[in-house]
Amino acid sequence: MDYQLLLLTIAVSFILAVIAAPLFIPLLRRMKFGQQVRDDGPQTHLKKAGTPTMGGIVIIVAFTLSFLKFSVVNTDFYVLLVATLGYGLIGFLDDYIKIVFKRSLGLTPRQKLFGQLLVGAILCALLISAGHNTAINIPGTSFSFDWSGWFYYPFIVIMLMAITNAVNFTDGLDGLLSGVSAIALAAFAVVAMQATSIAAGVCAAAMIGAVLGFLVFNAYPAKVFMGDTGSFGIGGAIGAIAIVTKSELLFLVIGGVFVVEMLSVVLQVVSFKTRGKRIFKMSPIHHHFELSGWSEWRVVISFWAVSLVLAGLGLYISKGL
């Protein structure tokens, strides 16, 4: 795979996002699409109330235009595009309902589950029609196991749901998700080059450029938030890249920050319901560090650093370094 193609894709997507964001942010303000802030969260976040959200539309548009321009068109292309836009649409509907209809929870859990299952089913149909390899590779080894085909597909549907929600949980501080996702996507771009999947490499590159362009306006103090539109779209892209490149389990390492963020929420809920006690001061875990006295920027930089180490470890395991 030509790495120059990936660099060009990153550059074009970045430029598109940087151009689109200043045009889109005033529109969000005029439409009063402002962020709602939890009263029980860190008090420093109260000043963020009203900051334009749904900026993930900028990420999705920049990604889509770049991906359509530079990617080859094959089954991988359609899987990657459907995953990113499908989950992005779920996030958009969730954001829209929260803001326009003043429903703090957005889509109901049942509606969100239905949407995720529907997108997952479409992706499974595409993979089945292409004769997708259903073996699961163990990272760093030559060992793999096959769940006789049909067991694989429920696994990837659950996996995609877990990844998109884990990525969504990570979006809670200015620039946190943008930086962590760009690092994870860079690692997956290398994995895609190893797997010689042009579509997956271009998908990763297009999303890297989009989130970095968005980061220009999302870094502390953020002028815009991506909302579920962006976080679900990013999660869909990362999950689909892992599936297409046969690196499903490698996500646990490269996406380790996402995994920890989600586990912190699960453990907090289970602990409170079973023992009546909280493990963390607040979940997801990035809020725990804030309430422990860390500045927002310190938390973000630390999580970026951890993500960088995990990305390097993931590539080392996959023999990408």
Side-chain angles (χ1 to χ4, degrees), residues 37-52:
V37 178
R38 292 170 55 180
D39 294 332
D40 60 341
Q43 295 301 299
T44 54
H45 287 208
L46 295 177
K47 62 184 179 183
K48 299 182 181 185
T51 301

Side-chain angles (χ1 to χ4, degrees), residues 35 56 74 79-80 86 93 98 178 184 221 233 244 254 268 276 279 286:
Q35 177 71 22
N74 53 22
V79 169
L80 294 159
L93 292 174
K98 287 177 185 175
S178 298
V244 165
I254 293 176
Q268 184 87 323
I279 300 174
H286 54 257

Side-chain angles (χ1 to χ4, degrees), residues 88-173:
L89 177 60
I90 294 171
F92 172 82
L93 292 174
D94 197 41
D95 284 335
Y96 188 83
I97 291 171
K98 287 177 185 175
I99 296 167
V100 175
F101 295 100
K102 308 299 181 185
R103 260 174 50 186
S104 59
L105 295 178
L107 291 171
T108 65
R110 184 173 296 181
Q111 290 169 334
K112 196 174 292 187
L113 176 63
F114 174 78
Q116 291 175 321
L117 289 174
L118 178 60
V119 175
I122 295 171
L123 293 174
C124 287
L126 288 170
L127 292 169
I128 291 170
S129 67
H132 183 69
N133 178 10
T134 58
I136 301 290
N137 300 319
I138 306 300
T141 73
S142 58
F143 181 75
S144 64
F145 58 93
D146 197 332
W147 284 337
S148 302
W150 287 106
F151 290 100
Y152 173 80
Y153 294 105
F155 165 74
I156 63 170
V157 170
I158 294 171
M159 170 188 146
L160 285 166
M161 290 173 61
I163 290 176
T164 51
N165 282 288
V167 172
N168 180 249
F169 285 137
T170 308
D171 183 30
L173 302 178

Side-chain angles (χ1 to χ4, degrees), residues 21 24-37 48-59 91-92 94-100 102-104 168 171-172 174 214 217-218 222-231:
F24 193 61
I25 292 172
L27 177 62
L28 291 173
R29 284 202 185 95
R30 285 197 296 271
M31 297 176 70
K32 301 187 185 303
F33 281 16
Q35 177 71 22
Q36 299 177 14
V37 178
K48 299 182 181 185
T51 301
T53 188
M54 286 183 72
I57 294 174
V58 170
I59 295 174
F92 172 82
D94 197 41
D95 284 335
Y96 188 83
I97 291 171
K98 287 177 185 175
I99 296 167
V100 175
K102 308 299 181 185
R103 260 174 50 186
S104 59
N168 180 249
D171 183 30
D174 296 2
F214 183 78
F217 305 90
N218 182 237
K223 298 179 178 64
V224 64
F225 300 133
M226 67 173 69
D228 290 355
T229 306
S231 61

Side-chain angles (χ1 to χ4, degrees), residues 1-8 193 198 202:
M1 187 190 301
D2 187 356
Y3 73 91
Q4 293 180 337
L5 173 63
L6 302 189
L7 292 177
L8 179 60
M193 292 177 71
I198 296 176
V202 172

